[in-house]
């Protein structure tokens, strides 16, 4: 990766030339980086009418910047579905059955009157890694946005991997992380008065046992398109390491969970109505904030089915 100097994190991560649209071959889109570590606004694209040629450059920019976003998009649900399908088949959402008539679109909503300790997506995580084929890419469209608060954070897990010592990298090679929804369900999911699972007022529909059983995946995974290695570890779903005892695995997972979320690897997005974000779950972790009581927030989320991590 260009621009890495030393592992003490107190330095420039990339030289500015890394963000040169012409050098990157972007002739049909403009990219405006959000932070040095990751994230970029993409300008010059009307998502509802995106062309095949633009899409090729958008996809490339997603893999380069890990999270991209588009402001002032006037999207119907069908536009979001169509864009999602350009990246690949829909992933199956583990938490909900989607919206009426749109089984692959999840509505994430917190009403102005709802007061809860946790919202959907809080805590640093990658999306549904407990699945055998976790979602590769997620798309989130901001429909109703609070005047402040409700930001989303992301961290670049490729950069986090690059900043480990060679000895730690070789220690992690070949390890498999147990991804389970046990903690996520304990922390976030409540029961309504009929005993059905909810987050706030959002009704969930899920196979808890299967989600808790989860799956084992490579702790260091390789991106199928870019070949970059990243840390596949988070603070919510990473619950053990194959072949290690709980006592052995916990300190390592705690260290890695903190390391991937070092502020140097992060960016933070302030939403506006009509903002669409797209992120690559293989190269990032992210986190939602529950700091907008008294305001409504409504988002539409779609996911792309991923590969079996290698
Ligand atoms: C998510 O984790 O998919 C939701 C993020 C958000 O609502 O900001």
């Amino acid at each position: 990766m260009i621009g890495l100097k030393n592992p003490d994190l107190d330095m420039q991560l990339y030289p500015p030339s890394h963000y040169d649209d012409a050098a990157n071959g972007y002739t049909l889109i403009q990219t405006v980086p959000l932070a040095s570590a990751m994230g970029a606004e993409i300008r010059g694209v009307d998502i509802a009418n995106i062309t095949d040629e633009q899409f090729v450059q958008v996809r490339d920019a997603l893999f380069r910047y890990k999270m991209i976003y588009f402001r002032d998009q006037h999207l119907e649900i069908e536009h979001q579905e169509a864009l999602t399908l350009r990246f690949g088949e829909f992933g199956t959402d583990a938490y909900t059955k989607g919206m009426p008539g749109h089984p692959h679109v999840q509505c994430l909503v917190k009403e102005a009157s709802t007061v809860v300790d946790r919202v959907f997506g809080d805590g640093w995580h990658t999306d549904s890694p407990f699945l055998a084929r976790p979602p590769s890419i997620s798309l989130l469209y901001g429909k109703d946005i609070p005047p402040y608060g409700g930001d989303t954070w992301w961290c670049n897990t490729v950069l986090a991997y690059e900043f480990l010592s060679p000895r730690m990298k070789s220690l992690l090679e070949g390890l498999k992380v147990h991804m389970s929804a046990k903690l996520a369900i304990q922390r976030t999911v409540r029961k309504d008065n009929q005993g059905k699972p909810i987050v706030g007022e959002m009704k969930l529909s899920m196979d808890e046992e299967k989600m808790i059983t989860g799956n084992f995946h490579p702790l260091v995974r390789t991106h199928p398109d870019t070949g970059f290695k990243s840390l596949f570890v988070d603070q919510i779903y990473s619950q053990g390491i194959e072949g290690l005892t709980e006592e052995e695995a916990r300190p390592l997972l705690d260290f890695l969970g903190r390391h991937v979320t070092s502020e140097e690897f992060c960016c933070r997005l302030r939403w506006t109505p009509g903002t669409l974000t797209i992120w690559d779950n293989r190269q990032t972790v992210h986190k939602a904030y529950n700091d907008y009581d008294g305001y409504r927030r409504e988002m539409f989320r779609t996911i792309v089915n991923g590969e079996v991590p290698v």
Side-chain angles (χ1 to χ4, degrees), residues 285-303:
V285 289
H286 63 281
K287 162 180 173 161
Y289 263 70
N290 183 22
D291 58 355
Y292 52 95
D293 279 0
Y295 296 106
R296 187 170 195 274
R297 185 177 188 264
E298 184 182 31
M299 321 290 282
F300 296 142
R301 181 175 177 276
T302 45
I303 51 175

Side-chain angles (χ1 to χ4, degrees), residues 68-86:
I68 53 175
Y69 60 100
F70 308 77
R71 297 286 192 196
D72 302 320
Q73 299 292 324
H74 302 285
L75 298 187
E76 300 298 332
I77 287 177
E78 291 76 10
H79 295 130
Q80 185 170 342
E81 290 172 326
L83 180 66
T84 308
L85 287 170
R86 280 181 178 261

Side-chain angles (χ1 to χ4, degrees), residues 234-284:
D234 67 8
Q235 296 180 4
I236 296 292
Y237 295 117
S238 302
Q239 292 301 313
I241 296 177
E242 190 178 62
L244 299 191
T245 64
E246 164 77 32
E247 276 182 314
E248 291 167 338
R250 198 64 264 163
L252 186 54
L253 290 173
D254 286 347
F255 160 69
L256 292 171
R258 280 195 311 276
H259 175 72
V260 291
T261 58
S262 301
E263 60 197 30
E264 290 83 356
F265 305 145
C266 291
C267 69
R268 174 176 181 153
L269 181 82
R270 183 171 185 154
W271 291 89
T272 48
T275 299
L276 172 75
T277 62
I278 310 178
W279 65 90
D280 187 336
N281 284 298
R282 296 147 318 174
Q283 310 194 75
T284 56

Side-chain angles (χ1 to χ4, degrees), residues 36-288:
S36 278
M38 65 169 298
E41 180 180 352
I42 309 291
R43 294 189 183 156
V45 181
D46 171 12
I47 291 293
N49 295 296
I50 188 170
T51 64
D52 293 346
E53 294 76 15
Q54 280 177 320
F55 177 73
V56 170
Q57 297 185 8
V58 164
R59 184 174 179 275
D60 188 90
L62 169 63
F63 295 158
R64 182 181 303 279
Y65 295 106
K66 327 296 187 214
M67 184 282 287
I68 53 175
Y69 60 100
F70 308 77
R71 297 286 192 196
D72 302 320
Q73 299 292 324
H74 302 285
L75 298 187
E76 300 298 332
I77 287 177
E78 291 76 10
H79 295 130
Q80 185 170 342
E81 290 172 326
L83 180 66
T84 308
L85 287 170
R86 280 181 178 261
F87 287 101
E89 62 181 5
F90 287 121
T92 308
D93 182 66
Y95 285 96
T96 73
K97 282 197 166 32
M99 295 166 63
H102 300 277
H104 299 292
V105 183
Q106 251 187 309
C107 179
L108 307 184
V109 64
K110 183 177 169 228
E111 299 295 346
S113 57
T114 306
V115 178
V116 278
D117 50 353
R118 302 199 181 277
V119 283
F120 187 92
D122 77 8
W124 286 108
H125 67 283
T126 172
D127 282 336
S128 301
F130 48 83
L131 296 173
R133 291 178 59 186
S136 50
I137 292 165
S138 301
L139 297 86
L140 192 63
Y141 179 64
K143 183 82 179 155
D144 205 358
I145 299 297
Y148 57 86
D151 295 355
T152 309
W153 287 76
W154 286 264
C155 287
N156 179 340
T157 56
V158 174
L159 211 48
Y161 175 73
E162 305 255 349
F163 274 85
L164 293 173
S165 62
R167 184 54 70 93
M168 179 56 94
K169 284 182 185 164
S170 58
L171 183 80
L172 300 181
E173 207 60 53
L175 292 184
K176 289 201 165 176
V177 56
H178 181 209
M179 295 294 199
S180 157
K182 186 174 175 193
L183 179 66
I185 292 171
Q186 273 169 5
R187 269 170 54 107
T188 314
V189 177
R190 304 284 173 260
K191 299 276 169 106
D192 67 10
N193 46 21
Q194 281 145 22
K196 300 257 170 60
I198 47 168
V199 174
E201 280 149 30
M202 258 178 71
K203 290 190 193 315
L204 305 180
S205 164
M206 50 192 211
D207 183 341
E208 287 191 29
E209 209 179 305
K210 213 167 153 191
M211 289 165 68
I212 291 172
T213 302
N215 275 281
F216 287 83
H217 292 305
L219 206 155
V220 176
R221 68 183 293 185
T222 305
H223 195 279
D225 289 271
T226 66
F228 279 126
K229 288 184 173 182
S230 61
L231 285 172
F232 199 43
V233 68
D234 67 8
Q235 296 180 4
I236 296 292
Y237 295 117
S238 302
Q239 292 301 313
I241 296 177
E242 190 178 62
L244 299 191
T245 64
E246 164 77 32
E247 276 182 314
E248 291 167 338
R250 198 64 264 163
L252 186 54
L253 290 173
D254 286 347
F255 160 69
L256 292 171
R258 280 195 311 276
H259 175 72
V260 291
T261 58
S262 301
E263 60 197 30
E264 290 83 356
F265 305 145
C266 291
C267 69
R268 174 176 181 153
L269 181 82
R270 183 171 185 154
W271 291 89
T272 48
T275 299
L276 172 75
T277 62
I278 310 178
W279 65 90
D280 187 336
N281 284 298
R282 296 147 318 174
Q283 310 194 75
T284 56
V285 289
H286 63 281
K287 162 180 173 161

